[in-house]
Amino acid sequence: MNKINSLFANSKDKKLLSLYFCAGCPTLDGTADVILTMQSRGIAMIEVGIPFSDPLADGPVIQSAATKALKNGMSLSKLFSQLKAIKDQVEIPLVMMGYLNPILHYGIEAFCQSCIDAGVSGAIIPDLPFDDYLNIVKPVADKYDLRIIMLITPETSEERIRFIDDNTDGFIYMVSSASITGTQKSFDEQKQEYFRRINSMKLRNPRMIGFGISNAQTLKAAQDNAAGAIIGSKFVTLLNENEGNANAALDQLFEALRS
C-alpha cells in the first residue's frame, strides 16, 4: 500500500503533523539529516520542497528559502540523488512539493519514476491545472502508484471540491486561506466557517490543513477540523535561524506549538 494511504488508514484517531522544508536550504547537503531527524521526532509526513525561481503561492519566507537553495546548487536531479541515498531508512511518507515548470523540464514520466526510485509517495504541484492532471499527469502517476495531491481553498466551489475528491487519492490539501503561505496568530470566524462547511461535505479523502499554522491555537483549529496540520513557513524560519540544525529547530517549533 502507498505510504500515504497507509498513514491515514492507521491514524484515524490521531492528530497528524506534517512539516515542509525546502531542499537545499540552508545547506545543500542537509536534506537527509532534516528528514531523518523529523522522522525520529515523530513527524507523520514530510513535504520536501523543490526550489523554484518563481514560487507564486508562497510567501517571503519560502521564496527566500527557494532562492538560497538554488544559489546553493540544489536541483531536482540532486534532490532525487539525496533522497535515494536514505530511501531504506525512511518509513514515513515523503511528498514532493514543487511547481510545474521544473517537473515538466525533468519529464512527467521521469519524475514519477524518480519519485518511486527515491521512496517518495506523492507530489503536490500547486500550479498544475486540474484538466492537465486528469488527462496527462494522473495516468502516469497511477502507473507508478504515486499520489498527486490537489489543493482546495475557501474560494473553491463545492462542485469542484467534490470533483477533486472523486478523482484523487491520498489526501486533500486544505489551504486555510486564499492568500500566500505564512504564519497567522489565529483563524478568524470566516476561516472557521470554511472548516465547518468542508466538514459537513463528508468527503471521501482525508484532509490536511495548511498555510498559517504556527502556534497552539492555529494547530488545534487545524487538527480539530481535519486529519492533521501542515506547517511550512514557521519551520523553514526556525531551520534557517538554527543554521540547518533540525533538532534545535524542532525543539523551538514544538515549544511554539504549545503556546
Side-chain angles (χ1 to χ4, degrees):
M1 179 186 289
N2 181 287
K3 286 183 181 179
I4 295 172
N5 297 94
S6 180
L7 172 66
F8 289 104
N10 295 317
S11 306
K12 294 187 183 300
D13 297 323
K14 295 181 181 178
K15 303 298 186 182
L16 301 177
L17 178 60
S18 176
L19 297 185
Y20 165 96
F21 78 103
C22 181
C25 178
T27 64
L28 177 61
D29 297 318
T31 302
D33 178 69
V34 173
I35 289 173
L36 295 175
T37 301
M38 282 198 272
Q39 176 176 264
S40 72
R41 299 291 298 272
I43 302 305
M45 180 167 57
I46 299 172
E47 289 181 18
V48 183
I50 305 167
F52 181 50
S53 57
D54 193 22
L56 297 176
D58 294 310
V61 170
I62 295 178
Q63 285 186 17
S64 176
T67 298
K68 186 169 186 177
L70 292 172
K71 287 182 179 178
N72 285 344
M74 180 53 73
S75 66
L76 197 45
S77 295
K78 176 72 171 175
L79 175 54
F80 277 131
S81 177
Q82 292 177 344
L83 295 177
K84 194 171 182 179
I86 58 169
K87 176 181 179 180
D88 294 339
Q89 301 175 65
V90 179
E91 299 175 355
I92 62 177
L94 299 181
V95 179
M96 299 288 270
M97 174 79 158
Y99 291 85
L100 186 58
N101 188 283
I103 295 171
L104 285 178
H105 184 73
Y106 193 87
I108 297 295
E109 180 131 13
F111 175 79
C112 293
Q113 177 71 67
S114 292
C115 281
I116 299 308
D117 290 345
V120 173
S121 300
I124 302 168
I125 310 172
D127 58 342
L128 173 64
F130 199 74
D131 287 347
D132 288 347
Y133 158 72
L134 283 177
N135 299 316
I136 300 171
V137 177
K138 186 177 186 297
V140 182
D142 287 350
K143 172 182 170 183
Y144 291 94
D145 196 34
L146 186 73
R147 302 290 177 262
I148 304 299
I149 308 304
M150 304 301 290
L151 290 78
I152 63 172
T153 76
E155 297 179 348
T156 308
S157 69
E158 180 173 335
E159 179 183 15
R160 183 73 164 186
I161 292 170
R162 293 202 181 279
F163 190 62
I164 289 172
D165 191 44
D166 289 341
N167 290 280
T168 61
D169 188 24
F171 70 96
I172 291 173
Y173 192 131
M174 188 173 165
V175 177
S176 67
S177 68
S179 63
I180 58 175
T181 57
T183 61
Q184 299 179 43
K185 291 184 178 180
S186 64
F187 291 137
D188 59 23
E189 177 57 29
Q190 186 177 17
K191 293 184 178 68
Q192 298 282 352
E193 174 55 33
Y194 161 56
F195 297 161
R196 291 191 290 268
R197 175 170 62 86
I198 303 303
N199 280 334
S200 70
M201 293 178 67
K202 307 295 184 185
L203 299 176
R204 177 180 60 86
N205 279 296
R207 288 163 287 113
M208 295 286 285
I209 296 178
F211 283 47
I213 298 167
S214 62
N215 57 22
Q217 184 174 355
T218 49
L219 177 66
K220 184 177 186 301
Q223 292 182 329
D224 284 351
N225 288 280
I230 299 170
I231 297 177
S233 295
K234 182 68 173 181
F235 181 66
V236 169
T237 296
L238 293 172
L239 193 61
N240 280 328
E241 288 176 353
N242 286 279
E243 299 179 342
N245 184 327
N247 258 318
L250 286 166
D251 285 342
Q252 293 177 16
L253 176 67
F254 293 151
E255 179 63 29
L257 295 177
R258 287 192 289 266
S259 61

